[in-house]
Amino acid sequence: MKTSKKAEIDAKIKENLVTSGTIFIDKFADILKANNGSPEVNSHYMQRVLHSIFFIGYVSKPRVYPEDFIPESVRESFKKKFPGPFRDYKSHVPHQTPYSILLEFMSENKNFNGPNILMQELWEINKSLWKTDTNIGYQPVANDFTATVIAYSCYSDIKDNNNVKSAYGSSISCRGKVPRMIMIHISVLQVWDLAISYAVCQEGNSPALVFPNKVCCHAFSFNCNRNCFLEVPPCAKCNKSFRDVKFNPSCENPDDDPTWPYGNCAENESLNKLLKGCQDLRSRILTEKNTEGNQMDITEIETMFKKEKEEKLKKTLKNLLGSQNIPLRETNGKLQSFQPM
Ligand SMILES: [Zn+2]
């Protein structure tokens, strides 16, 4: 590719990333303000969103610095109010993408009776997170941080009078192969329940996780052309990895091999949160039977993950971070991750 053409493309990618980040920060500040929560809670979430955006900007190509995301008129006040993200964006890893933090805020701080009302609010939010090009309808030209798919999982907790426990998750929402792979590896190594991490690493191969009855999972994908969320079936990998989950709608093409990287799907984050929030459900997870008829329980799955997967994943993450000149830092075997003040 000619140098001038490449420079032109890079400039466009950078412009879209900066615009997406700036709009996201602005909109998230509005959401926090409208919620009337405590200043401590608002600051906690804003610090995490800023740090996540700054980190992703730094590991993107071309690189974007924190200052680029914050308009000059408010830059100094942001630095004073939220020094942590400006200090730690290249030394500490985030645990979630900005959209996943937004989704966590929405689902934990507002009362939604089921997914439909939340999806309606997210639809409004998504529209405002985009810079759209009026010449091409609703197609966004800058939406690097918007999640395409949201998943909702639920479980009737037998140990708790069959009360329904639910959890939301989003697909990995950042643009570019390296940032995306970095975020997936962080999730697998440090954020998700190790049973989910193990299943994700199996990439649809045996042994799959077997869920107890009564676990459901619905996913919604934002359709740009129709400007709405539509229910979507799980991909073949999720369908194979998470056995006996009642996916609605069910998987259409169970033999297809999806083209996106393993770990990208919203189902992972959603089922992970469901497991973390419900110990009884967690304790009922098993792997499917192997040829000798043996199954692993949750403790054995964790041991297997640590034995077979962890080191390799860490090595890949180290290389991915290293390619962006970030050393992999650990404290007591854990990745050094951002903690809001
Ligand atoms: Zn999937």
Side-chain angles (χ1 to χ4, degrees):
M1 199 187 298
K2 277 192 186 145
T3 326
S4 60
K5 185 77 188 155
K6 178 156 187 342
E8 210 178 287
I9 292 171
D10 278 355
K12 194 75 205 154
I13 292 171
K14 185 172 177 175
E15 187 195 320
N16 284 348
L17 180 56
V18 171
T19 307
S20 303
T22 308
I23 295 177
F24 197 103
I25 294 164
D26 193 42
K27 180 66 196 171
F28 193 62
D30 286 349
I31 294 170
L32 293 176
K33 207 169 156 189
N35 188 53
N36 277 329
S38 74
E40 290 76 22
V41 169
N42 288 358
S43 169
H44 167 96
Y45 279 99
M46 185 49 107
Q47 285 180 64
R48 286 168 60 200
V49 160
L50 288 174
H51 176 269
S52 184
I53 290 176
F54 295 170
F55 174 87
I56 291 167
Y58 191 75
V59 298
S60 292
K61 234 177 187 167
R63 180 165 278 171
V64 173
Y65 288 91
E67 286 75 12
D68 299 328
F69 289 115
I70 312 290
E72 208 181 338
S73 56
V74 290
R75 203 174 288 154
E76 284 314 307
S77 70
F78 259 77
K79 282 186 176 176
K80 218 176 244 174
K81 215 169 161 190
F82 309 110
F86 286 89
R87 185 189 58 224
D88 295 343
Y89 69 94
K90 54 181 173 178
S91 56
H92 295 61
V93 297
H95 274 180
Q96 288 158 267
T97 58
Y99 201 92
S100 167
I101 300 168
L102 181 150
L103 184 61
E104 181 192 308
F105 174 80
M106 298 289 288
S107 52
E108 289 186 4
N109 291 277
K110 291 168 159 244
N111 275 330
F112 293 105
N113 200 4
N116 291 340
I117 301 163
L118 175 64
M119 297 317 292
Q120 179 64 31
E121 279 221 20
L122 290 178
W123 174 72
E124 296 285 346
I125 290 172
N126 278 10
K127 277 196 303 179
S128 61
L129 287 177
W130 296 347
K131 184 183 164 198
T132 45
D133 186 337
T134 43
N135 294 323
I136 47 173
Y138 283 111
Q139 291 291 345
V141 289
N143 69 331
D144 291 13
F145 293 116
T146 317
T148 12
V149 182
I150 307 293
Y152 165 82
S153 315
C154 58
Y155 173 65
S156 306
D157 194 347
I158 305 159
K159 284 266 172 75
D160 185 17
N161 290 328
N162 280 323
N163 269 333
V164 177
K165 305 272 163 76
S166 61
Y168 294 89
S170 63
S171 51
I172 299 285
S173 48
C174 57
R175 183 86 24 112
K177 193 177 171 212
V178 170
R180 190 179 286 259
M181 290 311 285
I182 288 175
M183 291 312 296
I184 291 174
H185 277 74
I186 294 169
S187 303
V188 171
L189 279 165
Q190 191 136 320
V191 183
W192 292 336
D193 191 290
L194 292 187
I196 301 295
S197 299
Y198 183 76
V200 165
C201 291
Q202 288 300 100
E203 297 188 56
N205 295 315
S206 297
L209 293 187
V210 183
F211 279 71
N213 276 333
K214 295 184 183 172
V215 173
C216 69
C217 189
H218 307 257
F220 305 85
S221 172
F222 196 86
N223 184 302
C224 291
N225 293 326
R226 289 167 65 180
N227 190 23
C228 62
F229 276 105
L230 297 175
E231 288 190 331
V232 277
C235 72
K237 276 180 192 163
C238 289
N239 191 52
K240 284 179 197 153
S241 301
F242 306 125
R243 282 257 311 270
D244 293 354
V245 170
K246 285 187 189 67
F247 288 109
N248 185 11
S250 57
C251 185
E252 283 170 345
N253 303 302
D255 296 322
D256 275 4
D257 202 9
T259 49
W260 48 87
Y262 70 94
N264 195 61
C265 297
E267 285 84 351
N268 302 319
E269 188 178 62
S270 169
L271 289 169
N272 152 68
K273 284 189 186 163
L274 194 68
L275 285 193
K276 286 194 162 176
C278 186
Q279 283 307 312
D280 178 57
L281 167 64
R282 204 174 169 272
S283 68
R284 289 166 193 263
I285 298 281
L286 293 166
T287 54
E288 63 185 344
K289 285 182 182 153
N290 64 12
T291 42
E292 285 91 46
N294 299 322
Q295 290 175 285
M296 288 191 279
D297 66 16
I298 194 83
T299 317
E300 290 163 324
I301 296 169
E302 284 183 4
T303 308
M304 191 59 99
F305 174 83
K306 288 189 173 155
K307 192 175 141 204
E308 279 190 357
K309 315 283 184 191
E310 199 170 52
E311 272 317 302
K312 200 171 154 235
L313 289 161
K314 248 183 211 175
K315 210 170 159 188
T316 310
L317 179 61
K318 192 178 175 185
N319 290 338
L320 285 164
L321 290 171
S323 72
Q324 309 304 307
N325 295 325
I326 297 183
L328 183 131
R329 293 188 174 89
E330 285 184 278
T331 322
N332 301 328
K334 289 265 172 205
L335 302 172
Q336 184 170 280
S337 48
F338 178 68
Q339 302 295 333
M341 287 187 289

